[in-house]
């Protein structure tokens, strides 16, 4: 089974969205404009054998939780630098996930958990093109752990191509933070 949803203008509001829910299903959500607001979770490739893709061009995406490639395959692509992405809960890249993004874009996480289970940096190359903003919110962020494979203590994993971000900012830009 194959399905496709396209949003070019207007607003989509939902409590949850599942793209590629399980065995033998392929789904695509193509947003070229407008606003998508999901108060609960967005799942891509939620079940084994499912495949889901979310493509975001110009437009805004607000999600409670955002899961890319849970037990199936998932792809998240940001295709325009004017796209806005805000996640207030968990952002998860599963072991069979892919992320691409054009330069000069940002992911904004507020009061969230960032979980990256894919250890292939090529699959997540889009992280190199974005700024990742970890901001306050209702929850308190007590631990920020970033790693792909264990290369021991120090910055080895950050500089060896194991995991790369264009920019990581913890805290709001106008407030002073101690990290």
């Amino acid at each position: 089974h194959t399905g496709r949803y396209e949003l070019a203008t207007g607003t989509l509001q939902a409590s949850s969205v599942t793209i590629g829910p399980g065995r033998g299903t392929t789904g695509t959500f193509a947003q070229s404009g407008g606003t998508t607001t999901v108060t609960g979770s967005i799942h891509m490739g939620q079940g084994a054998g499912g495949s889901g893709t979310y493509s975001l061009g110009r437009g805004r995406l607000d999600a409670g939780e955002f899961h890319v490639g849970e037990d199936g395959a998932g792809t998240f692509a940001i295709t325009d630098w004017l796209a806005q992405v805000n996640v207030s809960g968990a952002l998860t890249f599963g072991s069979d996930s892919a992320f691409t993004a054009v330069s000069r874009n940002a992911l904004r996480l507020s009061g969230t958990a960032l979980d990256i289970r894919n250890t292939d940096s090529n699959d997540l190359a889009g992280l190199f093109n974005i700024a990742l903003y970890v901001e306050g919110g209702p929850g308190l962020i007590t631990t920020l752990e970033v790693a792909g494979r264990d290369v021991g203590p120090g910055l080895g994993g950050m500089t060896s191509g194991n995991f790369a971000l264009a920019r990581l900012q913890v805290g709001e830009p106008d407030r002073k933070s101690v990290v």
Side-chain angles (χ1 to χ4, degrees):
H1 298 88
T2 302
R4 181 177 179 87
Y5 178 83
E6 296 182 11
L7 177 67
T9 62
T11 301
L12 169 69
Q13 293 183 329
S15 59
S16 67
V17 172
T18 302
I19 308 163
R23 187 162 310 284
T25 61
T26 300
T28 301
F29 189 117
Q31 181 177 349
S32 58
T35 301
T36 298
T37 302
V38 179
T39 55
S41 299
I42 297 176
H43 302 272
M44 286 160 281
Q46 184 177 26
S51 176
T53 299
Y54 195 116
S55 175
L56 177 63
R58 291 183 182 213
R60 180 181 173 117
L61 168 63
D62 296 309
E65 294 191 354
F66 197 75
H67 304 282
V68 183
E70 289 178 88
D71 291 327
T75 300
F76 180 39
I78 300 175
T79 61
D80 191 295
W81 69 274
L82 292 173
Q84 298 175 28
V85 181
N86 303 291
V87 179
S88 61
L91 172 61
T92 305
F93 290 99
S95 59
D96 194 7
S97 62
F99 176 61
T100 60
V102 296
S103 294
R104 301 186 326 186
N105 213 293
L107 290 177
R108 296 188 181 281
L109 311 176
S110 60
T112 188
L114 173 61
D115 186 5
I116 299 175
R117 297 178 187 170
N118 188 331
T119 57
D120 186 344
S121 60
N122 293 320
D123 290 344
L124 301 175
L127 291 171
F128 183 71
N129 293 329
I130 63 148
L132 179 63
Y133 294 95
V134 182
E135 301 168 333
L140 176 63
I141 299 171
T142 57
T143 303
L144 176 64
E145 182 178 331
V146 179
R149 65 186 135 92
D150 187 359
V151 293
L155 295 175
M158 297 297 281
T159 59
S160 68
N162 184 33
F163 187 87
L165 287 173
R167 179 176 178 196
L168 172 64
Q169 178 171 323
V170 179
E172 297 177 24
D174 297 333
R175 294 187 183 176
K176 298 197 185 304
S177 314
V178 177
V179 180

